[in-house]
Amino acid sequence: MLSYRHGFHAGNFADVLKHLVQIAILQYLKKKATPFYYHDTHAGSGSYNVSHPYMQKNREYLGGITRIWESKPVSPLLKEYLALVRQLNPTGELLCYPGSPEIAVRLLRHMDRAWFGEKHTTDFRILSTHYRKQPGVHCEMMDAWQGVKAKLPPKEHRGLILIDPSYELESDYRQLTRALEDALQRFALGTYAIWYPVIDERTTDKLLRRFAALPVRDNLHIHLDLGKEKSEPGMHACGMFIINPPFTLADTMKQTLPELLSLLADNKKTGRFLIEKLKVENG
Ligand SMILES: C[S@@+](CC[C@H](N)C(=O)[O-])C[C@H]1O[C@@H](n2cnc3c(N)ncnc32)[C@H](O)[C@@H]1O
């Protein structure tokens, strides 16, 4: 039984980073006139009400979307992200935060197709009810790793697979790399964007070594560390590993992350970000 509910974390700094990368990749895919496929392995419930007791429990959004909402960003990607969140909040008050499915639905064109998978019964009910009439969108209550096997390769031969596990179970890490190996055999040219939390550094290093060993032509690793004291509770850093990134993504993130860090990091001196290609280590 899964206990993770994304509502407790919606809009936090990790969501902001993930959704910025998601938007940048979807916008790149839209540059070509041919249709693409969007696959959300761990979709959650689609969007989140800020007043919900889950979001109010730890109010993680105050360290994430609220800081962007209350600023006037200058980098184009942050502006676009904020404009999208504003579309959902037309009164000017932050009442609702979009999850990755809602972001996708707002960016996809009529010819593009989306698949949202979610395993939690309650979140799946909310998700599927909300998007049941949405053209081009299909929701399934399916295990993420099974979904990757069942749905890839897509008939469009191009697209984004967003992989956003809750990392509740130790086995999530192993299953993730196994699923990636399998997915790459089915759909080698797809763009895969994988989010990961930094819970302890050894686990992160191991995961990054596994990513680096994957048989891919190109990758991009993005890491954001808010620079908090290690003794402070909660997650302080997270990252994204992107397989077959758009060639524009590294530059877009170079333009965006300094501003993002200055908005989100409490301690500007110790906060840091990385934008790099992971290389397989010899030996
Ligand atoms: C981090 S949240 C997803 C948030 C969403 N991608 C977003 O950005 O708005 C992870 C979700 O995965 C679901 N989940 C956990 N394990 C799963 C599995 N094996 N298969 C499918 N969904 C799973 C959880 O119920 C949770 O809703």
Side-chain angles (χ1 to χ4, degrees):
M1 181 64 190
L2 299 170
S3 58
Y4 179 96
R5 305 300 304 278
H6 195 64
F8 288 109
H9 311 289
N12 67 6
F13 83 97
D15 257 9
V16 176
L17 177 69
K18 172 182 45 185
H19 296 150
L20 284 167
V21 171
Q22 181 194 8
I23 292 172
I25 298 173
L26 289 176
Q27 291 296 26
Y28 177 81
L29 287 167
K30 284 168 67 173
K31 289 197 164 124
K32 227 175 161 183
T34 53
F36 67 84
Y37 173 65
Y38 171 77
H39 182 113
D40 206 322
T41 55
H42 300 73
S45 63
S47 55
Y48 302 87
N49 286 328
V50 175
S51 62
H52 192 283
Y54 284 173
M55 270 188 85
Q56 288 306 316
K57 174 99 192 298
N58 297 322
R59 304 208 289 171
E60 290 184 24
Y61 65 94
L62 292 179
I65 178 57
T66 299
R67 296 198 182 178
I68 316 289
W69 182 264
E70 288 171 353
S71 70
K72 283 201 173 69
V74 291
S75 66
L77 181 58
L78 268 169
K79 277 180 162 172
E80 188 169 358
Y81 164 78
L82 185 56
L84 195 148
V85 180
R86 286 198 193 283
Q87 280 176 20
L88 261 88
N89 295 282
T91 63
E93 191 185 347
L94 180 64
L95 301 173
C96 182
Y97 184 74
S100 51
E102 184 62 29
I103 290 174
V105 159
R106 284 171 185 269
L107 295 180
L108 263 53
R109 304 158 300 179
H110 69 278
M111 74 263 223
D112 303 321
R113 197 165 59 90
W115 185 86
F116 302 153
E118 170 57 49
K119 203 171 165 181
H120 194 286
T121 331
T122 313
D123 279 350
F124 178 74
R125 200 179 51 240
I126 301 167
L127 179 80
S128 53
T129 306
H130 194 73
Y131 298 112
R132 76 181 180 282
K133 291 191 180 152
Q134 185 72 39
V137 170
H138 185 59
C139 303
E140 265 183 86
M141 193 165 132
M142 191 184 273
D143 178 74
W145 317 121
Q146 235 179 296
V148 166
K149 272 194 173 28
K151 306 292 167 187
L152 300 184
K155 63 175 192 244
E156 293 82 354
H157 305 297
R158 64 188 205 105
L160 169 63
I161 293 90
L162 180 72
I163 305 183
D164 185 20
S166 40
Y167 297 95
E168 251 179 297
L169 309 168
E170 183 71 34
S171 57
D172 272 341
Y173 289 90
R174 255 178 295 115
Q175 283 187 305
L176 164 62
T177 36
R178 234 183 270 144
L180 279 171
E181 281 161 4
D182 182 70
L184 285 165
Q185 286 191 10
R186 292 164 192 275
F187 185 32
L189 296 179
T191 296
Y192 296 80
I194 304 117
W195 179 85
Y196 69 85
V198 179
I199 294 161
D200 73 83
E201 272 159 28
R202 271 184 53 200
T203 309
T204 308
D205 288 348
K206 199 165 149 193
L207 184 67
L208 294 180
R209 279 200 302 275
R210 284 187 182 162
F211 284 155
L214 287 166
V216 298
R217 272 207 309 227
D218 195 15
N219 76 63
L220 189 69
H221 173 226
I222 295 164
H223 183 89
L224 179 66
D225 182 337
L226 297 185
K228 292 187 185 176
E229 290 290 328
K230 294 257 183 305
S231 56
E232 284 184 55
M235 176 179 52
H236 303 161
C238 69
M240 302 278 305
F241 179 66
I242 301 108
I243 297 171
N244 299 325
F247 77 98
T248 48
L249 188 62
D251 281 349
T252 304
M253 297 317 291
K254 278 179 200 155
Q255 240 184 2
T256 311
L257 288 187
E259 187 178 9
L260 184 68
L261 189 65
S262 79
L263 290 170
L264 298 186
D266 290 325
N267 187 337
K268 312 272 185 281
K269 284 196 183 129
T270 49
R272 70 188 184 111
F273 64 82
L274 279 174
I275 301 166
E276 61 179 6
K277 285 197 191 297
L278 288 187
K279 296 210 172 64
V280 186
E281 283 170 32
N282 294 319

